Every structure is written in C-alpha cells, then in structure tokens.
Amino acid sequence: MNAYCLTDVGRRRSSNQDYVYISEKPIGNLPNLFVVADGMGGHNAGDLASRYAVEALVKSIRKEKKEKNPIPIIGKAIEAANEEVLKKASTDPVLTGMGTTMVAATVSKGCLYVANVGDSRLYLIRDRIRQVTRDHSLVEEMVRLGELTEEEARNHPDKNIITRAIGVRKNVRIDFFDEDLEGEDTILMCSDGLSNMVTDEDMEGIVKNCSTLQEAALRLIETANENGGRDNIAVVLVKPLTGEVKRC
C-alpha cells in the first residue's frame, strides 16, 4: 500500500486547523488507518480540536483488543474522540465551542471502510471520481431537498455551516460506508479547503496525470491556492497494491 498526506495553511488563514494522520501499518486490530480532521473554534481551539480528536481516535483503536470488524472499531473510536473533545473544551472558557470534522478510513481484505462526521470528504477515483461520503452541512441539505443546484452550492455564502461535528454534542451521529476496491483505484481524502477550491473533475485530472501520490498531493494544494486558498487544505492519498485488492 502506498499513502501520502499533506496539509497547507492556505492563503487567507494565519494558522492551520487541519490535521491528518496516516499509518500503512496495523493500528490495534485495523490493518491501516487514514484520517482527515478540520477543526473549528476561535483562537487556537480549532487547531487543538482536530489534533486532540485524532489522537483520541488513534488511542481508542490501539486499545481495542476484541472487536475485529472495522466499522464498530472506528465508530467506537469516534465516539471516544467526541467525549474527549467535549471534556477538554469544558476545562477552559477559551475552548468553549471547539469541534472538528472527521473522515476516517481503513482498507481490509480488498474493502474500503469509511466513517465521517462533518464535511471533510472521501473520494474514490476509478474510471471517474466519485464522492463516497456525504457532507453534513446546511448547503448540502439544501441540495438534497432540491433548493440549490450543485453549482449554486459551490459558492453559497453558508457553505461552511456544518450540521454535525465532533465535540459539539454529547451524542455524535456518524455515517458509515464500505466499498469494494479494484486494481487501479485511488482514495482521496480531504478537508473542504480543497473541495471548495477545486472541482471534482479537476481533482480527478490531477490525480490521474501525476506519476506519484506526492506529486498529486502537491499539485492539488497548489491548485487550491491558485484558486484563492480561502481555507486550510488537507489531502490524504492512498493507493492499495494489486495484491491488496480483491472482493470483500
């Protein structure tokens, strides 16, 4: 398995609230782990929320000894991360209201398992690019209800209002997905600093036309910044090896 991650502060922000984590080696009972988190909150709270949530997630996964199914393992870990962020926010008034999005994934026996909260995304790039996760955002709800078109949604002023996040409520609602993988698949995970700045079609073209994952990640971030760089940018790219791809 090949994987590469990169973050960038962008052109409008003074600090980076995005946090990424990759491990091509086993973490607890998971064979690998890939995470993107996009923090929110004033001062340094967003930076802390994303990092703290990912660290709590990884800690929970490492501690799990009995469960073998990836979905319950990741789900339990996200719930633990939610509890830890809430607890941390209660220790300091400056941290009140901090939270983070999260998309987490693992590849096991040729199958991709994904969990997400918020609007950080996971795409599967095959013959075309396809968004696997669903955004938990006000604008996405308006699109699903037919009140906005996809094009109108891209530049809507309320684009950044999310409806679910880690660390905001006692109970966190998580969406889960699983996908069979094929030999030429590439997994792209990102924060909205990329997806708001670069179209899905351009992301697909960049990934397919770059010879390495590192080159693709650099070019994706460069393109987001060239298009305005209004937010922090996080990218994780994963390409399973041929022997790791078979039907679930």
Side-chain angles (χ1 to χ4, degrees):
M1 178 172 296
N2 295 317
Y4 188 80
C5 64
L6 196 63
T7 67
D8 188 83
V9 71
R11 293 188 171 178
R12 304 281 185 89
R13 300 295 179 89
S14 59
S15 64
N16 193 346
Q17 297 186 339
D18 288 358
Y19 194 84
V20 297
Y21 177 92
I22 65 172
S23 176
E24 298 170 51
K25 297 180 180 180
I27 301 291
N29 286 338
L30 296 183
N32 45 67
L33 181 64
F34 311 98
V35 189
V36 171
D38 180 359
M40 59 186 188
H43 302 286
N44 295 322
D47 309 38
L48 177 61
S50 57
R51 176 177 60 82
Y52 204 75
V54 173
E55 289 174 350
L57 174 95
V58 173
K59 181 180 178 182
S60 174
I61 292 171
R62 287 190 193 280
K63 288 170 59 178
E64 179 58 59
K65 302 300 182 184
K66 295 181 180 180
E67 182 62 60
K68 303 295 184 183
N69 188 322
I71 290 298
I73 293 172
I74 296 174
K76 181 179 176 181
I78 290 177
E79 290 172 352
N82 187 65
E83 291 177 10
E84 290 299 318
V85 173
L86 278 169
K87 189 184 300 181
K88 185 66 175 178
S90 69
T91 65
D92 188 339
V94 172
L95 303 179
T96 300
M98 77 175 186
T100 184
T101 70
M102 183 179 287
V103 56
T106 188
V107 175
S108 177
K109 298 179 181 179
C111 193
L112 170 67
Y113 298 93
V114 187
N116 86 293
V117 179
D119 62 356
S120 291
R121 295 179 177 180
L122 184 145
Y123 293 90
L124 190 59
I125 301 173
R126 189 173 290 168
D127 53 338
R128 61 180 181 86
I129 190 169
R130 177 167 58 88
Q131 183 179 339
V132 173
T133 55
R134 293 200 316 171
D135 294 352
H136 302 138
S137 68
L138 177 63
V139 166
E140 181 62 23
E141 290 295 331
M142 294 169 73
V143 170
R144 283 199 280 266
L145 291 170
E147 297 174 4
L148 288 175
T149 66
E150 292 284 355
E151 187 58 35
E152 290 170 335
R154 176 166 290 278
N155 298 307
H156 196 278
D158 294 331
K159 179 76 176 177
N160 294 325
I161 299 177
I162 59 175
T163 55
R164 298 189 208 173
I166 290 172
V168 174
R169 295 183 178 89
K170 183 177 180 181
N171 296 314
V172 60
R173 293 171 60 201
I174 311 164
D175 282 352
F176 298 100
F177 309 87
D178 59 83
E179 296 278 342
D180 289 333
L181 294 175
E182 297 183 2
E184 298 303 314
D185 289 350
T186 302
I187 299 158
L188 167 61
M189 301 166 68
C190 65
S191 63
D192 66 344
L194 180 71
S195 56
N196 284 346
M197 292 287 99
V198 184
T199 65
D200 291 2
E201 292 76 16
D202 285 345
M203 285 191 273
E204 177 187 353
I206 289 167
V207 172
K208 287 184 174 180
N209 289 315
C210 289
S211 58
T212 66
L213 297 183
Q214 180 177 2
E215 180 188 356
L218 287 166
R219 185 63 193 133
L220 287 166
I221 285 178
E222 286 173 359
T223 304
N225 280 324
E226 288 167 2
N227 291 346
R230 293 196 297 265
D231 202 350
N232 306 146
I233 310 155
V235 175
V236 170
L237 288 164
V238 183
K239 195 164 185 64
L241 302 177
T242 303
E244 297 169 323
V245 176
K246 51 188 175 182
R247 303 297 288 183
C248 307

